[in-house]
Amino acid sequence: MDDYINNQVTEENENRATRRVKTETHRSGPEDSGRRLYRMVAVSFGMLCVLQVTLNILLRLVYAERDQLQTSYNNLTVERDQLQTSYNTLTEERDQLQTRYNNLTKERDRLQNLLCEKPCCFDGWRKFDSSCYFLSTEDKTWEESRQDCLKRGADLVIINSREEQEFIFNLNKRVWIGLTDRQREGTWKWVDGTTLTTEYWYDPQPNNSGPTGEDCAEINNDQRPLKAWNDSPCNRRLNWICEKVV
């Protein structure tokens, strides 16, 4: 009888304990879940705040760099426009000076013609000793240059003296002169048929080194005044000097 009573008491206690655990489990389960959810929401919100702050900082840096680049571009544009304006002004001044120089040169030639003994040189010609000289402003072959001189009642220049050589050299142009060995290689003659006697070649000229021959003479103004002649292909295009004896 006692054993039965004890078993009943023990079974009842176990049932009470089981109900207590279930009751506590039922009471504590939803509350813990809510707390965990709250913590997750709080952490997520915090991370979003950090991301927002980081994004704001990055955007500010990007905008600041963009503004700096725009400012640099604007400054360079202003500087470029200033340089272009300066260039245009200098170009205009250069053209004005060139025009003035040309006018003064014409006036000088005109006055020289008024002062020289008759017959005098025409406008555009320069007088030296007893000849008038015309310096071209365009390039032609040696034969074309000679034909131009003949049309002007002159011929390619014949250099007869050291003074005349220095005068032509000081015109500061690379020019054809009336000297050629086209009839016979190595025998240089002036356009009037006279054989060359006084020479002003620079070493190692004349060397006839061109693939088609170098049979016409030029004055190379990059050399020294009395060492300035060079043999060159006759089809080369250069300025030229016409001479008319007056």
Side-chain angles (χ1 to χ4, degrees):
M1 183 64 178
D2 292 333
D3 292 335
Y4 175 76
I5 293 173
N6 290 334
N7 290 334
Q8 288 292 330
V9 172
T10 300
E11 184 178 354
E12 185 176 353
N13 288 335
E14 289 177 356
N15 291 335
R16 287 178 181 175
T18 301
R19 286 195 299 270
R20 188 181 301 114
V21 170
K22 290 182 179 180
T23 301
E24 289 177 356
T25 301
H26 178 73
R27 290 177 180 176
S28 62
E31 184 177 353
D32 289 342
S33 298
R35 290 177 181 175
R36 286 195 297 271
L37 179 61
Y38 174 78
R39 284 196 295 271
M40 290 176 62
V41 170
V43 170
S44 299
F45 182 75
M47 292 178 64
L48 287 175
C49 290
V50 172
L51 289 174
Q52 182 66 43
V53 171
T54 303
L55 180 61
N56 290 340
I57 293 173
L58 291 175
L59 288 175
R60 289 179 182 177
L61 292 175
V62 170
Y63 289 148
E65 184 175 359
R66 183 203 62 184
D67 293 340
Q68 290 177 353
L69 291 174
Q70 185 65 45
T71 301
S72 299
Y73 172 79
N74 293 339
N75 292 337
L76 289 173
T77 301
V78 171
E79 186 176 355
R80 181 205 63 191
D81 293 341
Q82 291 175 345
L83 290 173
Q84 184 65 47
T85 301
S86 299
Y87 171 79
N88 293 339
T89 301
L90 290 174
T91 300
E92 184 178 354
E93 291 178 355
R94 180 205 63 191
D95 294 341
Q96 291 175 350
L97 288 173
Q98 184 64 47
T99 300
R100 184 179 179 185
Y101 170 79
N102 294 338
N103 292 336
L104 289 174
T105 300
K106 291 180 180 179
E107 181 65 15
R108 180 203 63 193
D109 293 342
R110 187 184 70 83
L111 292 174
Q112 285 180 344
N113 288 337
L114 291 176
L115 294 175
C116 71
E117 297 179 358
K118 298 295 182 179
C120 290
C121 301
F122 299 103
D123 288 345
W125 292 70
R126 307 183 186 192
K127 192 173 189 304
F128 176 79
D129 199 10
S130 59
S131 295
C132 293
Y133 299 85
F134 173 80
L135 174 62
S136 75
T137 57
E138 57 181 329
D139 299 336
K140 290 182 181 293
T141 66
W142 188 89
E143 185 60 38
E144 290 172 344
S145 299
R146 188 180 184 196
Q147 292 302 316
D148 178 84
C149 291
L150 293 173
K151 290 178 182 179
R152 298 174 187 272
D155 208 335
L156 285 173
V157 61
I158 297 173
I159 299 174
N160 296 306
S161 67
R162 170 176 177 163
E163 291 76 17
E164 188 176 19
Q165 166 66 20
E166 291 177 336
F167 165 74
I168 295 174
F169 182 86
N170 289 331
L171 295 176
N172 200 30
K173 285 280 190 178
R174 191 164 188 165
V175 293
W176 288 124
I177 59 177
L179 186 64
T180 179
D181 70 342
R182 291 192 300 178
Q183 292 183 351
R184 183 178 179 183
E185 179 62 35
T187 301
W188 290 88
K189 291 185 177 182
W190 295 106
V191 288
D192 65 354
T194 58
T195 302
L196 174 66
T197 54
T198 304
E199 305 176 355
Y200 300 103
W201 304 102
Y202 69 84
D203 295 334
Q205 309 303 328
N207 59 5
N208 195 40
S209 63
T212 59
E214 295 181 333
D215 298 328
C216 295
E218 61 161 317
I219 289 182
N220 186 348
N221 62 318
D222 290 334
Q223 304 299 320
R224 293 176 295 169
L226 300 180
K227 294 286 184 179
W229 291 1
N230 173 51
D231 61 335
S232 189
C234 297
N235 61 356
R236 185 176 183 179
R237 304 185 72 85
L238 296 173
N239 293 113
W240 67 92
I241 295 283
C242 298
E243 179 184 11
K244 179 188 296 185
V245 180
V246 295

